[in-house]
Amino acid sequence: MMRFVALISLALLMGAAYADTPGLGLTTSTTLAPSFLPDSSSLADWHSSTLWIIILGFILAFILAFGVGANDVANVFGTSVGAKVLTLRQACMIATVAEVLGAVLIGYKVSDTVRKGILDVSLYNNTEKELMLGSLAALGGSAMWNLVATFFKLPISGTHTIVGATIGFSLCARGLEGVNWTTFAKIVGSWFVSPILSGAMSAIIYLGLNHFILKKEKPLEPGLRALPLIYGLTLLINIFSIVHDGPALLYFDHIPTWGAFVIALGVGVITALLIQIFVVPRTRKAVEADLSKETCEQGVKFTFDSADNSRSPTPPGQELSVIEKGIGSTYTFNGNSETNGYIPAETKSNLLGNGLNNTNPSSQSLGIPNNSSQVPLVSTNNVKVISMDELSAKKETEVDPPEVKRLFSFLQILTATFGSFAHGGNDVSNAIGPLIALWAIYTEGSVAQSSPTPLYILLYGGIGISLGLWVWGRRVIQTIGEDLTKVTASSGFTIEIGSAFTVLFASKIGLPISTTHCKVGSVVFVGWAKSSRQGVDWKLFRNIVIAWVVTVPLTAGISALLMLIFRIAFI
């Protein structure tokens, strides 16, 4: 690793020195001379000489979009798949539509920031081909690291890769003056702010749901009362983000701020009313039917009285019951003594649900002597024996009750869809920002890139991202949805809505934040709020943070090295 870092540093230094070498036809002056716009004949020659760059750029951009889809889109739907709300196939189908729509409708703002906001493109006046080669190097460096990270199941940021690669080729071509450091500082700041903001927002939402709904003895009724409000607010936030200063393709850019708010509020209120009138009654009936059916299908429960009076009412908490299904009945035992294939059931199974008041409860502590006939003998062929440590671990694994899962499952799908839409607007643009720059310079013959972002290129990036999710997305989905913390439908909803709101807000102001940071921040904050420190795999989180830290310098170094090669070979 140290040798690799040294090689990358050497490439950056050589590139900067090469950029300052006189007599190479490179402009390092800060004079903002207007770029020369060629006539039709010279423009034809220009197209002919740079066609190979465009073709290679489209190939590399698709590979990069593929890697972003396999990595970043997997982050978006990781919680939904981890909570078993969506299958992988269903997640891919939803993402295909949402990512493409997000890229086409709201992606143009971020692509402008990536292709023109980070670099001082005026420094490349009359050296348009060099800027095209730089964009090519940025695509190559980003694509290489995205594929490597996805292969090793490391959830990295597509924003990090493209920004780092853009900085790398600029340092090689123009040194320190080629970078708009103010814009870069804002982007770097957003990388640290986004996980904290997104995580705090998701945690606050979860704690509110936990207090008013999840901790109630019967969470169905408070959940149904809150359902219209939750749906209404979810739609209001996302509709406003889409309509306000929205895509010119739909003429949303002519709608004033107050008009966008009125439209969003109207959609939210109508949605809340429809949910109250139609969805709430149907959901109540469906949940009650499911609970009734589940009660009828439960296994037989055995209750045991104290040894002193076998006919007295059963004291509270002295019930041995089935706590798992699928492998006969499951009991817990104190010890492994076995006689003729039978084991005395000694420990209360329902301690899992009522709390462990005794660190090692036994039949004696429950008032049942070991030699009593009140202790059942259970055949070892029909049971799964688990230790008290495993029982305690199961207690820490929180699972939504059936009624809560039904209430929040569709909400999580809805918020994941909006999250995917936001991802399409943010990260698709990041991935193909250099390609848009390439195309603009190619068609105009100028570094000014005055033409708007072509929708067909945004669509091209959306298709590449969707394909990456279908082919390779499962590699990172497990890390976010299962390994980092236990995700349920209710906690998954809060993770999705908090991170989606953060990303949508950032996209509207043209700030290319990291959806990966937002999602991981929300997962960690909610996992911590839900299950304390033990609810988060901190070792895995440390590895994710390390991947975040090395992404920018690695992609910058690879891009600088590619740019150095291009300059020597083609300029």
Side-chain angles (χ1 to χ4, degrees):
M1 177 62 72
M2 292 302 296
R3 292 181 179 178
F4 182 75
V5 173
L7 178 61
I8 296 302
S9 302
L10 179 61
L12 287 170
L13 291 174
M14 291 177 62
Y18 191 84
D20 293 332
T21 302
L24 294 176
L26 303 180
T27 302
T28 58
S29 171
T30 57
T31 302
L32 302 181
S35 180
F36 172 72
L37 295 175
D39 55 28
S40 58
S41 60
S42 58
L43 186 60
D45 294 337
W46 165 255
H47 287 169
S48 176
S49 64
T50 56
L51 180 61
W52 69 272
I53 301 179
I54 287 294
I55 295 174
L56 185 57
F58 268 88
I59 295 173
L60 289 177
F62 193 85
I63 295 174
L64 174 58
F66 180 92
V68 169
N71 204 295
D72 268 19
V73 182
N75 296 334
V76 173
F77 278 95
T79 54
S80 300
V81 177
K84 305 299 186 292
V85 172
L86 288 173
T87 64
L88 182 60
R89 178 182 295 273
Q90 291 169 338
C92 291
M93 293 172 65
I94 295 174
T96 300
V97 177
E99 292 283 334
V100 173
L101 287 178
V104 172
L105 295 179
I106 63 174
Y108 63 96
K109 284 184 173 292
V110 178
S111 66
D112 289 344
T113 301
V114 171
R115 65 189 176 110
K116 293 187 289 187
I118 300 174
L119 303 180
D120 185 0
V121 294
S122 63
L123 294 178
Y124 296 87
N125 282 336
N126 302 318
T127 57
E128 289 80 7
K129 186 175 182 179
E130 185 182 17
L131 182 56
M132 293 183 71
L133 292 174
S135 298
L136 199 63
L139 288 171
S142 301
M144 290 171 62
W145 177 236
N146 255 286
L147 293 178
V148 170
T150 304
F151 177 80
F152 289 105
K153 301 182 180 180
L154 295 173
I156 62 170
S157 167
T159 307
H160 279 207
T161 59
I162 197 63
V163 171
T166 303
I167 297 296
F169 91 75
S170 181
L171 288 175
C172 180
R174 289 294 182 268
L176 295 177
E177 67 174 342
V179 179
N180 188 333
W181 293 107
T182 301
T183 302
F184 179 66
K186 292 179 181 179
I187 295 172
V188 171
S190 73
W191 296 339
F192 297 98
V193 172
S194 56
I196 297 176
L197 178 63
S198 179
M201 185 175 299
S202 295
I204 291 172
I205 296 173
Y206 175 79
L207 291 174
L209 289 179
N210 189 52
H211 178 74
F212 292 105
I213 299 177
L214 304 180
K215 292 181 67 176
K216 300 297 183 181
E217 183 178 354
K218 295 181 178 180
L220 177 60
E221 288 306 319
L224 289 175
R225 286 194 295 268
L227 203 60
L229 178 62
I230 295 173
Y231 271 97
L233 288 176
T234 300
L235 267 296
L236 187 152
I237 292 171
N238 286 279
I239 294 300
F240 179 79
S241 299
I242 295 170
V243 175
H244 179 246
D245 195 21
L249 179 66
L250 302 178
Y251 300 101
F252 285 178
D253 55 331
H254 299 303
I255 300 176
T257 302
W258 66 266
F261 179 77
V262 170
I263 293 174
L265 181 63
V267 172
V269 171
I270 293 174
T271 300
L273 291 175
L274 292 176
I275 295 296
Q276 180 64 48
I277 295 173
F278 297 105
V279 177
V280 169
R282 295 183 61 182
T283 302
R284 179 183 284 108
K285 291 181 180 180
V287 170
E288 290 175 350
D290 289 345
L291 292 177
S292 176
K293 181 179 179 181
E294 183 176 338
T295 301
C296 296
E297 293 178 352
Q298 282 183 345
V300 179
K301 292 185 177 181
F302 300 93
T303 59
F304 300 90
D305 195 5
S306 65
D308 298 330
N309 185 4
S310 60
R311 295 185 179 274
S312 63
T314 303
Q318 295 191 15
E319 181 179 80
L320 298 178
S321 63
V322 176
I323 61 174
E324 284 187 356
K325 299 178 182 179
I327 320 179
S329 301
T330 303
Y331 301 85
T332 57
F333 302 86
N334 184 23
N336 296 319
S337 59
E338 177 180 342
T339 304
N340 297 326
Y342 289 86
I343 305 178
E346 192 174 37
T347 306
K348 282 196 338 178
S349 298
N350 64 349
L351 288 171
L352 179 62
N354 298 333
L356 298 177
N357 299 323
N358 188 334
T359 57
N360 189 24
S362 62
S363 56
Q364 289 98 330
S365 66
L366 301 178
I368 306 176
N370 277 337
N371 59 357
S372 172
S373 60
Q374 299 175 54
V375 179
L377 296 179
V378 183
S379 172
T380 58
N381 295 325
N382 299 324
V383 300
K384 173 188 175 185
V385 182
I386 61 174
S387 67
M388 288 303 299
D389 290 337
E390 292 176 299
L391 181 63
S392 300
K394 284 179 177 291
K395 180 178 180 293
E396 292 296 326
T397 303
E398 298 184 16
V399 179
D400 283 337
E403 60 269 34
V404 172
K405 183 176 181 180
R406 177 178 282 270
L407 286 176
F408 286 97
S409 291
F410 185 75
L411 270 171
Q412 187 178 7
I413 296 173
L414 181 67
T415 50
T417 302
F418 279 116
S420 180
F421 180 85
H423 180 271
N426 192 76
D427 283 56
V428 171
S429 305
N430 295 339
I432 61 173
L435 177 62
I436 296 172
L438 274 176
W439 183 254
I441 299 171
Y442 175 76
T443 55
E444 299 173 20
S446 168
V447 299
Q449 305 174 48
S450 57
S451 60
T453 300
L455 292 180
Y456 50 84
I457 295 185
L458 292 172
L459 179 63
Y460 178 77
I463 293 174
I465 278 187
S466 301
L467 183 62
L469 175 64
W470 278 95
V471 175
W472 232 14
R474 69 186 68 207
R475 299 187 67 84
V476 178
I477 280 180
Q478 182 177 356
T479 300
I480 297 295
E482 300 179 16
D483 296 343
L484 193 55
T485 190
K486 172 67 176 179
V487 179
T488 61
S490 58
S491 63
F493 161 71
T494 61
I495 292 169
E496 299 287 357
I497 192 64
S499 57
F501 175 78
T502 304
V503 174
L504 279 168
F505 175 76
S507 294
K508 298 312 295 182
I509 63 175
L511 187 63
I513 69 168
S514 167
T515 53
T516 302
H517 283 199
C518 289
K519 183 56 65 71
V520 172
S522 291
V523 169
V524 171
F525 272 64
V526 172
W528 196 350
K530 180 167 66 77
S531 305
S532 73
R533 286 183 58 86
Q534 288 71 31
V536 179
D537 188 338
W538 295 104
K539 183 177 179 181
L540 176 59
F541 179 63
R542 179 201 64 192
N543 294 338
I544 293 174
V545 172
I546 292 174
W548 290 353
V549 171
V550 303
T551 291
V552 170
L554 276 177
T555 53
I558 296 172
S559 176
L561 186 60
L562 291 175
M563 185 60 183
L564 180 61
I565 295 172
F566 289 157
R567 293 179 69 184
I568 295 174
F570 301 109
I571 297 180

Coordinates of all heavy atoms in Angstrom, one line a residue, residues 86-127:
L86 N -38.7 -6.1 0.4 CA -38.6 -6.4 -1.0 C -37.6 -7.5 -1.3 O -36.6 -7.7 -0.6 CB -38.0 -5.1 -1.7 CG -39.0 -3.9 -1.9 CD1 -38.2 -2.7 -2.4 CD2 -40.2 -4.2 -2.7
T87 N -37.9 -8.2 -2.3 CA -36.9 -9.2 -2.8 C -35.9 -8.4 -3.7 O -36.1 -7.3 -4.1 CB -37.5 -10.3 -3.7 OG1 -38.1 -9.7 -4.9 CG2 -38.6 -11.0 -2.9
L88 N -34.7 -9.1 -4.0 CA -33.7 -8.4 -4.8 C -34.3 -8.1 -6.2 O -34.0 -7.0 -6.7 CB -32.5 -9.3 -4.9 CG -31.3 -8.7 -5.7 CD1 -30.8 -7.5 -5.1 CD2 -30.2 -9.8 -5.8
R89 N -35.1 -9.0 -6.7 CA -35.6 -8.8 -8.1 C -36.6 -7.6 -8.1 O -36.6 -6.7 -8.9 CB -36.4 -10.0 -8.6 CG -37.0 -9.9 -9.9 CD -37.8 -11.1 -10.3 NE -36.8 -12.2 -10.5 CZ -36.2 -12.5 -11.6 NH1 -36.4 -11.8 -12.7 NH2 -35.4 -13.6 -11.7
Q90 N -37.4 -7.5 -7.0 CA -38.4 -6.4 -6.9 C -37.6 -5.1 -6.8 O -38.0 -4.0 -7.4 CB -39.3 -6.6 -5.8 CG -40.3 -7.7 -5.9 CD -41.0 -8.1 -4.7 OE1 -40.6 -7.8 -3.6 NE2 -42.2 -8.7 -4.8
A91 N -36.6 -5.1 -6.0 CA -35.8 -3.9 -5.8 C -35.1 -3.4 -7.1 O -35.1 -2.2 -7.4 CB -34.7 -4.1 -4.7
C92 N -34.7 -4.3 -7.9 CA -34.0 -4.0 -9.1 C -35.1 -3.4 -10.1 O -34.8 -2.5 -10.8 CB -33.4 -5.2 -9.8 SG -31.9 -5.8 -8.9
M93 N -36.3 -4.0 -10.1 CA -37.3 -3.5 -11.0 C -37.7 -2.0 -10.6 O -37.8 -1.2 -11.5 CB -38.5 -4.4 -10.9 CG -38.3 -5.8 -11.5 SD -39.7 -6.9 -11.2 CE -40.9 -6.1 -12.2
I94 N -37.9 -1.8 -9.4 CA -38.3 -0.4 -8.9 C -37.1 0.6 -9.2 O -37.3 1.7 -9.7 CB -38.6 -0.4 -7.4 CG1 -39.9 -1.3 -7.2 CG2 -38.8 1.0 -6.9 CD1 -40.2 -1.4 -5.7
A95 N -35.9 0.1 -8.9 CA -34.7 1.0 -9.1 C -34.5 1.4 -10.6 O -34.1 2.5 -10.9 CB -33.5 0.3 -8.6
T96 N -34.8 0.4 -11.5 CA -34.6 0.7 -12.9 C -35.5 1.9 -13.3 O -35.0 2.8 -14.0 CB -35.0 -0.5 -13.7 OG1 -34.1 -1.6 -13.4 CG2 -34.8 -0.2 -15.2
V97 N -36.7 1.9 -12.9 CA -37.6 3.1 -13.2 C -37.2 4.3 -12.5 O -37.1 5.4 -13.1 CB -39.1 2.7 -13.0 CG1 -40.0 3.8 -13.3 CG2 -39.5 1.4 -13.8
A98 N -37.0 4.2 -11.2 CA -36.8 5.4 -10.4 C -35.5 6.1 -10.7 O -35.4 7.3 -10.7 CB -36.9 5.0 -8.9
E99 N -34.4 5.3 -10.9 CA -33.1 5.8 -11.2 C -33.1 6.6 -12.5 O -32.6 7.7 -12.6 CB -32.1 4.7 -11.3 CG -31.8 4.0 -10.0 CD -30.9 4.9 -9.0 OE1 -30.1 5.7 -9.6 OE2 -31.0 4.7 -7.8
V100 N -33.7 6.0 -13.5 CA -33.8 6.7 -14.8 C -34.6 8.0 -14.7 O -34.2 9.1 -15.3 CB -34.3 5.8 -15.9 CG1 -34.5 6.5 -17.2 CG2 -33.4 4.6 -16.1
L101 N -35.7 8.0 -14.1 CA -36.5 9.2 -13.9 C -35.8 10.2 -13.2 O -35.9 11.4 -13.5 CB -37.9 8.8 -13.3 CG -38.9 8.0 -14.1 CD1 -40.1 7.7 -13.3 CD2 -39.3 8.8 -15.4
G102 N -35.2 9.8 -12.1 CA -34.4 10.8 -11.3 C -33.3 11.5 -12.1 O -33.1 12.7 -12.0
A103 N -32.6 10.6 -12.9 CA -31.5 11.2 -13.7 C -32.0 12.2 -14.7 O -31.4 13.2 -14.9 CB -30.8 10.0 -14.4
V104 N -33.1 11.9 -15.3 CA -33.6 12.7 -16.4 C -34.2 14.0 -15.9 O -34.1 15.1 -16.4 CB -34.6 11.9 -17.3 CG1 -35.3 12.9 -18.3 CG2 -33.9 10.8 -18.0
L105 N -35.0 13.9 -14.8 CA -35.8 15.0 -14.3 C -35.0 16.0 -13.4 O -35.3 17.2 -13.5 CB -37.0 14.5 -13.5 CG -38.0 13.7 -14.4 CD1 -39.2 13.2 -13.6 CD2 -38.5 14.6 -15.5
I106 N -34.2 15.5 -12.5 CA -33.5 16.4 -11.6 C -32.0 16.3 -11.6 O -31.3 16.9 -10.8 CB -34.0 16.2 -10.1 CG1 -33.6 14.8 -9.6 CG2 -35.4 16.4 -10.0 CD1 -33.9 14.6 -8.2
G107 N -31.4 15.5 -12.6 CA -30.0 15.3 -12.6 C -29.2 16.4 -13.2 O -28.0 16.4 -13.0
Y108 N -29.8 17.3 -14.0 CA -29.0 18.3 -14.7 C -28.3 19.2 -13.8 O -27.2 19.7 -14.1 CB -30.0 19.1 -15.6 CG -31.0 19.9 -14.9 CD1 -30.9 21.2 -14.6 CD2 -32.2 19.2 -14.5 CE1 -31.8 21.9 -13.9 CE2 -33.2 19.9 -13.9 CZ -33.0 21.3 -13.6 OH -34.0 22.0 -12.9
K109 N -28.8 19.6 -12.6 CA -28.2 20.5 -11.7 C -26.9 20.0 -11.2 O -25.9 20.7 -11.2 CB -29.1 20.8 -10.5 CG -30.3 21.7 -10.8 CD -31.1 22.1 -9.6 CE -32.1 23.1 -9.9 NZ -31.5 24.4 -10.2
V110 N -26.9 18.8 -10.7 CA -25.6 18.2 -10.2 C -24.6 18.0 -11.3 O -23.4 18.2 -11.0 CB -25.9 16.9 -9.4 CG1 -24.6 16.3 -8.9 CG2 -26.9 17.1 -8.3
S111 N -25.0 17.6 -12.5 CA -24.0 17.4 -13.5 C -23.3 18.7 -13.9 O -22.2 18.8 -14.2 CB -24.7 16.8 -14.8 OG -25.6 17.8 -15.3
D112 N -24.1 19.9 -13.8 CA -23.4 21.2 -14.0 C -22.4 21.4 -13.0 O -21.3 22.0 -13.3 CB -24.5 22.3 -14.0 CG -25.4 22.2 -15.2 OD1 -25.0 21.6 -16.2 OD2 -26.5 22.9 -15.2
T113 N -22.6 21.1 -11.7 CA -21.6 21.3 -10.7 C -20.4 20.4 -10.9 O -19.3 20.9 -10.8 CB -22.2 20.9 -9.3 OG1 -23.4 21.8 -9.1 CG2 -21.2 21.2 -8.2
V114 N -20.6 19.2 -11.3 CA -19.5 18.3 -11.5 C -18.6 18.7 -12.7 O -17.4 18.7 -12.6 CB -20.0 16.8 -11.6 CG1 -18.8 15.9 -12.0 CG2 -20.6 16.4 -10.3
R115 N -19.2 19.0 -13.8 CA -18.4 19.3 -15.0 C -17.9 20.7 -15.1 O -16.9 20.9 -15.8 CB -19.3 19.0 -16.2 CG -20.5 19.8 -16.5 CD -21.3 19.3 -17.6 NE -22.5 20.0 -17.9 CZ -22.8 20.8 -18.9 NH1 -21.8 20.9 -19.8 NH2 -23.9 21.4 -19.1
K116 N -18.5 21.7 -14.4 CA -18.0 23.1 -14.5 C -17.8 23.7 -13.2 O -17.1 24.8 -13.1 CB -19.0 23.9 -15.3 CG -19.2 23.5 -16.7 CD -20.1 24.4 -17.5 CE -21.5 24.3 -17.1 NZ -22.4 25.1 -18.0
G117 N -18.3 23.2 -12.1 CA -18.2 23.9 -10.8 C -16.9 23.6 -10.1 O -16.4 24.4 -9.3
I118 N -16.3 22.4 -10.3 CA -15.1 22.0 -9.5 C -13.9 22.6 -10.2 O -12.9 23.0 -9.5 CB -15.0 20.5 -9.5 CG1 -16.2 19.9 -8.7 CG2 -13.7 20.0 -8.7 CD1 -16.3 18.4 -8.7
L119 N -13.8 22.6 -11.5 CA -12.7 23.1 -12.2 C -12.9 24.5 -12.8 O -14.0 24.9 -13.1 CB -12.4 22.1 -13.4 CG -12.1 20.7 -13.1 CD1 -11.9 19.9 -14.4 CD2 -11.0 20.5 -12.1
D120 N -11.8 25.2 -13.0 CA -11.8 26.5 -13.7 C -11.5 26.2 -15.1 O -10.4 26.1 -15.6 CB -10.7 27.4 -13.1 CG -10.8 28.8 -13.7 OD1 -11.6 29.0 -14.6 OD2 -9.9 29.6 -13.4
V121 N -12.6 25.9 -15.9 CA -12.5 25.4 -17.2 C -11.9 26.5 -18.2 O -11.4 26.2 -19.2 CB -13.9 25.0 -17.8 CG1 -14.4 23.8 -17.1 CG2 -14.9 26.1 -17.8
S122 N -11.9 27.8 -17.7 CA -11.3 28.8 -18.6 C -9.8 28.7 -18.8 O -9.3 29.2 -19.7 CB -11.7 30.2 -18.0 OG -11.1 30.4 -16.7
L123 N -9.2 27.9 -17.9 CA -7.8 27.7 -18.0 C -7.4 26.8 -19.2 O -6.3 26.6 -19.5 CB -7.2 27.1 -16.7 CG -7.2 28.0 -15.4 CD1 -6.7 27.2 -14.3 CD2 -6.4 29.2 -15.7
Y124 N -8.5 26.2 -19.7 CA -8.3 25.2 -20.9 C -8.7 25.9 -22.2 O -8.9 25.2 -23.2 CB -9.0 23.9 -20.6 CG -8.5 23.2 -19.4 CD1 -9.1 23.4 -18.2 CD2 -7.6 22.2 -19.6 CE1 -8.6 22.7 -17.1 CE2 -7.1 21.5 -18.5 CZ -7.6 21.7 -17.2 OH -7.2 21.0 -16.1
N125 N -8.8 27.2 -22.2 CA -9.1 27.9 -23.5 C -8.0 27.6 -24.5 O -6.8 27.6 -24.2 CB -9.2 29.4 -23.3 CG -10.5 29.8 -22.7 OD1 -11.5 29.1 -22.8 ND2 -10.5 31.0 -22.0
N126 N -8.4 27.2 -25.7 CA -7.5 26.9 -26.8 C -6.8 25.6 -26.6 O -5.9 25.2 -27.4 CB -6.5 28.0 -27.1 CG -7.2 29.3 -27.4 OD1 -8.2 29.3 -28.2 ND2 -6.7 30.4 -26.9
T127 N -7.1 24.9 -25.5 CA -6.5 23.5 -25.3 C -7.6 22.6 -25.0 O -7.6 21.8 -24.0 CB -5.4 23.5 -24.2 OG1 -6.1 24.0 -23.0 CG2 -4.3 24.4 -24.5

